[in-house]
């Protein structure tokens, strides 16, 4: 049995105006099926608006599916699970709280904010390069630093499944590459399973064990690409023929490149 398994997942949104259903239903996801193993890094790659985020939120239990099955460790997902961590596109840090209190917020929800949780938060902040910033407010941090704090918040309760929705999309290219390396380092240390949404081909290939390429909406999985690049990964790897061949394959699945395989 796979760690995560989705079978025939479909999501349809009714279009409403003034509380009344109007027009035809919007099919966001149409018969999406996939699986992933424990400890695996899976990238969901596709154009903006194709349904990737919707599928990620269904896996997280944040929104319901219209049809199909979503199972994690053999259990159907119907609501948010305390063993999941979620990182959004924007950090969404609470401006009135300092960094440490933002990171510890999930432990408050779980009623487990104790000395062990505090020690874990400090360990994570040091791991992501925010040692000494625990007492500052979010507005005093750069965008990259805010996203590092948000990553700590998602990891503080030690989830076995980390769900990430284009978390680095708003960052400049250099910071984004640094965050890619940081994420791979954290994943190696925590052994978490990661499902990561992105529209960047290079990011998907660099981070992942498998890339699932989505079609335009309604979302279907157009191709599954196994990424057999060795670990640890480095910036130099991005310029190898093996890496670029994987990029071209993903580009063809997206309809960007049309040359023969």
């Amino acid at each position: 049995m796979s760690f995560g398994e989705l079978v025939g997942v479909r999501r349809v949104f009714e279009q409403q105006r003034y509380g009344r259903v109007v027009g035809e239903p919007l099919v966001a996801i149409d018969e999406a099926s996939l699986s992933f193993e424990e400890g695996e890094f899976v990238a969901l790659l596709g154009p903006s608006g194709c349904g990737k985020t919707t599928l990620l939120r269904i896996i997280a239990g944040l929104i319901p599916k219209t049809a199909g099955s979503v199972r994690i460790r053999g259990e159907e997902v119907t609501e948010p699970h305390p063993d999941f961590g979620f990182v959004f596109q924007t950090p969404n840090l609470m401006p009135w709280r300092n960094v440490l209190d933002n990171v510890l917020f999930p432990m408050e929800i779980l009623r487990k904010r104790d000395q062990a949780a505090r020690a874990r938060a400090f360990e994570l902040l040091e791991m992501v390069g925010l040692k000494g910033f625990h007492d500052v407010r979010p507005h005093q941090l750069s965008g990259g630093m805010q996203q590092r704090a948000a990553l700590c918040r998602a990891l503080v309760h030690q989830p076995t499944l980390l769900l990430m929705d284009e978390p680095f999309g708003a960052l400049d290219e250099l910071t984004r590459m640094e965050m890619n390396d940081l994420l791979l380092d954290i994943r190696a240390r925590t052994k978490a399973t990661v499902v990561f949404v992105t529209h960047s081909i290079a990011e998907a290939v660099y981070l992942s064990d498998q890339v699932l390429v989505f079609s335009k909406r309604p979302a279907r999985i157009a191709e599954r690409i196994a990424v057999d690049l060795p670990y640890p990964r480095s910036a130099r790897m991005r310029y190898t023929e093996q890496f670029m061949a994987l990029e071209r394959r993903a580009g063809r699945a997206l309809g960007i490149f049309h040359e023969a395989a």
Side-chain angles (χ1 to χ4, degrees):
M1 179 186 297
S2 298
F3 178 85
E5 187 173 22
L6 283 67
V7 179
V9 174
R10 181 176 172 84
R11 174 66 199 198
V12 180
F13 291 97
E14 289 186 340
Q15 300 187 68
Q16 297 189 0
R17 184 178 300 164
Y18 306 119
R20 299 179 61 183
V21 176
V22 297
E24 293 295 320
L26 176 65
V27 181
I29 301 171
D30 190 15
E31 300 292 324
S33 298
L34 61 99
S35 65
F36 49 91
E37 302 302 325
E38 186 170 7
E40 193 171 17
F41 197 120
V42 182
L44 309 183
L45 173 67
S48 296
C50 75
K52 307 183 302 297
T53 292
T54 298
L55 187 62
L56 192 74
R57 288 172 178 263
I58 289 172
I59 297 172
L62 296 174
I63 60 175
K65 58 192 176 297
T66 304
S69 174
V70 178
R71 292 182 177 273
I72 303 296
R73 294 194 204 87
E75 296 184 5
E76 189 73 21
V77 176
T78 58
E79 60 185 2
H81 195 285
D83 195 31
F84 297 173
F86 201 104
V87 182
F88 297 89
Q89 293 181 29
T90 56
N92 293 326
L93 300 175
M94 291 172 277
W96 60 90
R97 284 178 168 238
N98 64 27
V99 167
L100 180 63
D101 287 339
N102 268 285
V103 171
L104 285 170
F105 183 66
M107 305 308 290
E108 292 180 24
I109 299 298
L110 297 171
R111 298 183 180 180
K112 294 182 178 180
R113 180 166 175 163
D114 53 21
Q115 282 302 115
R118 185 179 173 88
R120 169 72 174 162
F122 275 107
E123 178 186 345
L124 286 167
L125 288 170
E126 182 171 1
M127 188 186 302
V128 303
L130 290 180
K131 183 179 180 180
F133 289 89
H134 63 279
D135 200 34
V136 306
R137 295 291 191 271
H139 75 272
Q140 297 174 279
L141 303 177
S142 68
M145 294 169 77
Q146 289 183 30
Q147 201 58 285
R148 289 169 188 256
L151 182 56
C152 291
R153 180 181 59 193
L155 292 167
V156 71
H157 61 297
Q158 298 179 288
T160 58
L161 178 60
L162 182 61
L163 304 163
M164 309 185 73
D165 183 15
E166 296 191 48
F168 311 141
L171 304 178
D172 64 82
E173 189 64 20
L174 179 59
T175 303
R176 186 170 185 159
M177 292 172 70
E178 291 174 350
M179 290 297 292
N180 285 175
D181 288 333
L182 173 63
L183 178 57
L184 287 177
D185 183 48
I186 289 173
R187 179 248 188 150
R189 296 191 196 189
T190 64
K191 310 302 182 186
T193 305
V194 184
V195 181
F196 186 98
V197 166
T198 182
H199 58 256
S200 166
I201 295 174
E203 184 170 67
V205 171
Y206 188 72
L207 291 173
S208 305
D209 298 305
Q210 65 165 314
V211 177
L212 300 174
V213 183
F214 282 70
S215 66
K216 294 180 180 179
R217 193 178 67 230
R220 290 177 177 270
I221 297 174
E223 187 166 357
R224 176 191 176 277
I225 301 173
V227 180
D228 55 355
L229 298 171
Y231 290 98
R233 295 179 181 173
S234 64
R236 181 176 296 178
M237 186 177 290
R238 295 174 183 267
Y239 304 100
T240 64
E241 179 54 40
Q242 185 181 8
F243 188 94
M244 291 186 283
L246 289 165
E247 285 186 302
R248 289 193 295 271
R249 182 176 170 188
R252 287 195 295 270
L254 288 169
I256 298 173
F257 305 132
H258 301 284
E259 76 269 22

